[in-house]
Amino acid sequence: MTNPLEPPVRQRGRASLDFLLHFGRGTQTLRQDVETEIARIVPDPAALPDDIDVRSNQIEQRLLASSAWRTSALTGEWNARMHGLIAREAFEEVHADLAPVIARYQSEGETTLEPMAEGTKAPAYFEGVNFHRTAGGWEDHAMQGYIHGEIVHRKLVNAFFPGGIFKQRRAVAAMAPRAHYARILDMGASTGHFTQALQETYPEAEITGVDLSLRVLEHAQRIGNAHGWAWKLYQRPAEDTGFAEASFDLVASYILLHEIPADVIRRVFAEAFRVLEPGGDMIMSDVTRYADMDKLSVWRADSGARLGGEPYWRESASLDLAQVARDAGFVDVTAQGIYPHVVKGHKPK
């Protein structure tokens, strides 16, 4: 499917984005050297401390003498700090050209967007967090949704995932038990990439999406309008959607849960159960469970989350999501996959 919102990146922006891509690929040998050093200082991962913080401190203290690790940490920090700013610069270079297209799909079409009621505050866990270390967070730039969805995701992140992140979203959408659904809720719709996967998988369904960021939802609205879909988007927390009971026959999310604290995750599952009609289905996907990794792999994931600006990753990855689903009332609960880790459940009739 063609993308009407494709950014017409100019030479400078393209060169900067290409540099980021080659920078990441070019440090592969360096990362291999780091792995060799880790294997030397951690010959038996099972012997590492159980406490994650103690474990991290022990490994990283041992690595301080490694020039490869110190260089890798420095380049990783530079990429984490700069990728959002470089993507923003590439956008600003073509903003004037894009303005008519953006304005058209923001205002013309059947996809609607309802912002949070005036005077309503976002939950404390959301405020002041620069998720993914995006410069200034989701709300800092008026076009942050476009920048994140069309440049960071499509131009950068997608290039590092075999088969592409959009193929992965479609695969998760297709894992729901039925072939047809009438009313689907996408929890954490963000810029609409998983919402689009749900729409393409269940073309007859009425799609509703919620997210806390108005900026990303604005871009989801553009995507819906650009493709002629009639999504209903709301700036609301997934744990308190405000929808009536039994409003949907499928509730789904894609890699949302690691962005929220553990107690909120439990409330999200409870809310999914509440808004599902009896006999409805739930499918939630998230990052790899720490229980499915050895101690060294947990350290890698945990330190990567700290570098990447993910304050709730550990809380999420430490949860048994299948049990959280059962506690919320779901039956026939299954959990499968490493990344994404997919939990499915059914609301009894």
Side-chain angles (χ1 to χ4, degrees):
M1 180 175 287
T2 59
N3 176 21
L5 291 157
E6 176 79 17
V9 181
R10 291 182 184 165
Q11 183 174 354
R12 180 181 175 85
R14 184 181 298 110
S16 296
L17 295 172
D18 284 347
F19 175 79
L20 275 176
L21 289 173
H22 292 303
F23 184 84
R25 292 169 177 149
T27 56
Q28 183 175 354
T29 300
L30 180 63
R31 292 194 295 272
Q32 290 171 348
D33 291 343
V34 172
E35 288 304 312
T36 300
E37 189 67 13
I38 291 171
R40 183 186 68 81
I41 66 171
V42 187
D44 181 13
L48 288 167
D50 291 332
D51 184 273
I52 297 176
D53 291 321
V54 174
R55 185 188 319 164
S56 296
N57 184 65
Q58 183 183 101
I59 294 172
E60 290 163 22
Q61 284 296 317
R62 292 177 180 177
L63 283 170
L64 283 175
S66 167
S67 61
W69 183 77
R70 292 169 73 95
T71 304
S72 181
L74 183 64
T75 58
E77 175 65 20
W78 181 87
N79 185 75
R81 284 177 178 268
M82 295 303 297
H83 76 280
L85 292 173
I86 289 173
R88 183 182 295 188
E89 290 174 357
F91 168 78
E92 295 290 0
E93 192 176 27
V94 295
H95 188 185
D97 298 332
L98 280 168
V101 177
I102 289 172
R104 174 188 174 188
Y105 292 124
Q106 197 73 60
S107 60
E108 297 179 15
E110 296 183 60
T111 292
T112 60
L113 170 56
E114 180 181 300
M116 196 174 291
E118 188 174 351
T120 303
K121 293 186 64 176
Y125 66 79
F126 181 78
E127 290 292 338
V129 178
N130 289 353
F131 293 102
H132 303 183
R133 293 186 70 176
T134 298
W138 295 139
E139 311 304 293
D140 181 63
H141 190 284
M143 297 304 301
Q144 193 74 289
Y146 184 97
I147 294 166
H148 183 71
E150 299 301 327
I151 299 180
V152 173
H153 254 140
R154 290 190 188 275
K155 299 293 186 183
L156 297 175
V157 179
N158 196 43
F160 285 103
F161 280 75
I165 57 174
F166 300 100
K167 180 179 179 181
Q168 189 180 78
R169 284 162 168 78
R170 290 192 295 271
V172 171
M175 291 175 69
R178 296 188 230 160
H180 303 283
Y181 289 94
R183 301 175 310 284
I184 300 175
L185 173 61
D186 181 6
M187 289 181 152
S190 188
T191 53
H193 293 156
F194 184 55
T195 323
Q196 179 171 344
L198 289 166
Q199 185 72 80
E200 292 171 349
T201 306
Y202 310 103
E204 302 303 315
E206 178 182 281
I207 307 281
T208 300
V210 296
D211 201 281
L212 279 170
S213 169
L214 185 59
R215 299 285 87 90
V216 299
L217 285 174
E218 286 170 344
H219 193 59
Q221 183 180 24
R222 296 177 200 117
I223 289 177
N225 284 336
H227 292 288
W229 294 318
W231 299 341
K232 294 180 176 63
L233 305 174
Y234 299 85
Q235 186 190 14
R236 299 178 184 176
E239 69 273 18
D240 185 16
T241 64
F243 300 125
E245 293 183 12
S247 293
F248 305 96
D249 53 2
L250 174 65
V251 175
S253 76
Y254 178 86
I255 316 294
L256 160 72
L257 304 178
H258 73 281
E259 308 281 21
I260 52 181
D263 64 314
V264 180
I265 291 173
R266 294 186 177 93
R267 290 168 58 195
V268 166
F269 275 80
E271 180 72 350
F273 189 86
R274 186 188 71 82
V275 300
L276 272 173
E277 65 181 24
D281 296 311
M282 172 275 297
I283 178 168
M284 302 283 193
S285 62
D286 202 47
V287 300
T288 309
R289 303 294 90 192
Y290 282 2
D292 292 331
M293 305 180 192
D294 63 31
K295 290 181 178 180
L296 189 57
S297 297
V298 168
W299 167 74
R300 288 192 185 96
D302 204 72
S303 59
R306 284 186 278 120
L307 175 69
E310 301 286 5
Y312 308 118
W313 184 294
R314 184 188 296 185
E315 289 187 55
S316 169
S318 299
L319 281 179
D320 180 347
L321 294 179
Q323 188 58 50
V324 172
R326 294 185 189 99
D327 292 343
F330 289 102
V331 298
D332 303 326
V333 174
T334 63
Q336 64 187 94
I338 299 299
Y339 188 96
H341 180 75
V342 180
V343 177
K344 295 188 284 186
H346 185 73
K347 183 172 180 175
K349 288 188 176 180

